Amino acid sequence: MSIPVSTYRLQITSAFDLDAAAEVLDYVTRLGADWLYLSPLLSAEEGSDHGYDVIDHGSVDPARGGPEALARLSERASAAGRGILVDIVPNHVGVNTPHSNAWWWDLLTAGQSSRYAEAFDVDWPAGNGRLLLPVLGDGDDDLGELTIVGDELHYYDNRFPIAPGTADDGAPAAVVHGRQHYELVNWRRADADLNYRRFFAVNTLAGVRVEVPWVFDESHREILRWVHSGQVQGLRVDHPDGLADPGGYLDRLHAAMGGGYLLVEKILEGREQLPSSWSTDGTTGYDALADFDRVLVDPAGQDALDALEAALQSERTGTAQAGPVSWTELVYTGKRAIADGILQSEVRRLARLLPELPHSDAVIDALAELIAWFPVYRSYLPVGRHELDTAVRLARQRRPDLDATITALLPYLTDPAHPAAVRFQQTSGMVMAKGVEDTAYYRYSRLTSLNEVGADPSEFAVSVDEFHRRQQTRLAVAPASQTTLSTHDTKRGEDVRARISVLAEVPDEWAGALAELRALAPLGDAPFENLLWQAIVGSWPASTDRLIGYAEKASREANLSTTWTAPNEDFEDRMRALVRDLAVDGPLARTVSAFVDRVKQAGWSNSLALKLIQLTAPGVPDVYQGSELWEMSLVDPDNRRPVDYAVRRDYLDRVTEGWLPPIDETGAAKLLVTTSALRLRRDRPELFGRHAPVEAFGPAAAHVVAYDRGGAVTVATRLPVALARIGWGDTTIMLAGHDWQDALTGARFAGGQVRLADLLSRYPVALLIPAAASAAASAATEEATP
């Protein structure tokens, strides 16, 4: 099986299609990446820029170039020695425009007699034999806006099929609607009454039952054609936690592929490990991201930022906060609100799968409580039974009144074959994602660089020793697992996080700046203001439109001062005015600019350290499109903006010719780090076979992360603000006695005790290789460069 040395992620859209990807292949090759890593390619909803709303499993999306463009890209990639990894979506399909999805259209037409009724996860009895579609606006429940157009029912621009023989008598549209296998209902009923499984709480993404053999076969035939024809060498599975049997699915997919590189987009909580029985090479790297970020965070700042967060939360609630804010409590509160709110229909569905117990509010309450306390996304029974035991213990502590009901539930929730146990495992992940990633992350503002997908914000920092231990574990357990810093799903781009992490070194200065900013533009929601100002400082300078888009999404996700379903216009108007005020010269903009000037150099140091660590640590590093320069994006859709490859080509040309760029706003220094590490890793893989800590000695020893990967030695600065006060002085690292060369600058150093003041005189990072190997690496790079 071929395993990539590294990957470069491209978002394939109608504006940047597969032929456009082929046009940047030479650049990606020269940059040093091994494989292209593509977003979903199957036909998706019209206008979709992400591709996760698949409407036709049988074809490459014409808007993305179609099958011919995939063949052209594959041919060029193969000729350049590159592989292709493609994102696939087995859990759900797009149903926003029913007529464009043949499976869904047939289901709506024929109901339970449709061939595709088995493909969708519908609870027909709960809808009295009809599929509930939450599309009606407030005030339209009388169906007065329904019209008959040919053999379709129309509701404004929405089109739905009319079953044969149900409109032949000329009955009014409302009467015909009553004869269909679906029922159009008010959009607000989705929370409690929806009777089909979705992706999280997205009504327009309907879950499919890929565990059914023919559903697997028909939804994967085209994907497997890519693999068997050699057009694609690997697959990345989106959201396996939504499946009834992720392990069984991966077994079947791996066998159908005939081998090949196979990754899962799996969020691991804390020290959770992937089930060892899964047929996969690893995750898409969020677990690694969390470790890389935290080794660059100053643990000394925790107490001050804890105190600030406690004060801000107390201000919001009007109650005194005793000690640090409990992340665990915030998670529980967010998850319970989701289980009682937008995913209540899923919890109610669980209760209906338990005919052995009387259907009661107590059963629904107990199920929601267990899900709210579930410590990871889901179990994979019998694997993960201890996680359920933990949830039971915590639920009983919080709600002793539910003890008897929880006891009655356990025999069914622990039985891997029971439908309720299967569905519980699918549901716990939904609630975790919505309650944590999309709620608690926006309510907890202590240090928002830690509020990232797959990360635990309660873990403030990681020591250098612990960092090394985790990398050694990754090398031993999952050496082919991907690592990442930015994705299409991250809440903040890697360099935004790198700058925000500097706040841990200057917590008192941040508290002062925040107080000044809040006084100039008060919103009345103290924790959210902290979160918003960190995003602004982290991404500055950013356009007004980008910041307003972020502010609106973040505030509504927090679901406190405003919400998606009931926006607080007064709050949002003040929030938008705050952002607009930043565009003009005034006290607000000057305060932000002054603080950014204080932290941006340290942020750039963190960024270069973060990038070099990720690209050289164990695992398969992915570079998200464009992030070889500063990646200052915020949450989607901001992080899916078009990439300017012309400027990147220019910088790459100049760097390849020997230019050593300054560390400045251009980000060219980051491109130097990226291409040097990628080229070395691809061209000299024998230098990356282990992970051995390299110890530092001297007064600034705490300010370096260094390790030997088996010949290539990474040296990266950490905690640059405090370092600037004391300097490197006589701090050294010990290297083998032969001569070394920095792959970034070309500078040579004698082995033995090497002074960091000399080694890191130009950049805060170095990538050392034996001098004898450097000539071979240069020759290999020249040979690989078109």
Side-chain angles (χ1 to χ4, degrees), residues 331-341 343-351 354 360-374 388 391-392 394-396 398-399 402 405-406 409 413 424 427-428 431-432:
V331 167
Y332 166 77
T333 301
K335 291 177 67 177
R336 184 67 213 229
I338 293 296
D340 293 338
L343 289 178
Q344 182 188 155
S345 59
E346 294 294 336
V347 180
R348 290 181 175 274
R349 172 86 181 268
L350 263 174
L354 289 160
S360 67
D361 290 342
V363 169
I364 295 171
D365 194 4
L367 287 167
E369 192 71 10
L370 287 171
I371 288 171
W373 283 114
F374 209 78
L388 179 59
V392 167
L394 295 172
R396 283 172 167 159
R398 175 60 69 93
R399 296 288 305 278
L402 293 176
T405 306
I406 290 172
L409 286 169
L413 298 184
F424 184 92
T427 304
S428 65
V431 175
M432 177 72 87

Side-chain angles (χ1 to χ4, degrees), residues 227-303:
V227 175
H228 296 154
S229 66
Q231 291 182 326
V232 166
Q233 287 69 47
L235 300 176
R236 177 263 201 195
V237 176
D238 180 67
H239 188 47
D241 279 350
L243 306 180
D245 179 16
Y249 168 78
L250 291 170
D251 283 344
R252 179 161 190 171
L253 178 59
H254 188 262
M257 291 172 67
Y261 189 55
L262 183 58
L263 294 176
V264 289
E265 185 228 14
K266 166 62 185 166
I267 307 300
L268 299 171
E269 287 292 310
R271 294 300 92 203
E272 180 187 11
Q273 296 288 326
L274 272 181
S276 59
S277 59
W278 280 13
S279 299
T280 179
D281 294 291
T283 74
T284 50
Y286 291 116
D287 44 319
L289 177 155
D291 295 342
F292 300 152
D293 279 349
R294 280 159 178 73
V295 76
L296 301 179
V297 172
D298 188 355
Q302 180 170 353
D303 288 347

Side-chain angles (χ1 to χ4, degrees), residues 480-502:
S481 192
Q482 207 171 45
T483 69
T484 191
L485 292 179
S486 298
T487 76
H488 60 287
D489 278 335
T490 40
K491 306 298 184 185
R492 297 160 190 83
E494 59 205 59
D495 301 310
V496 177
R497 299 198 310 274
R499 184 184 291 175
I500 292 173
S501 290
V502 179

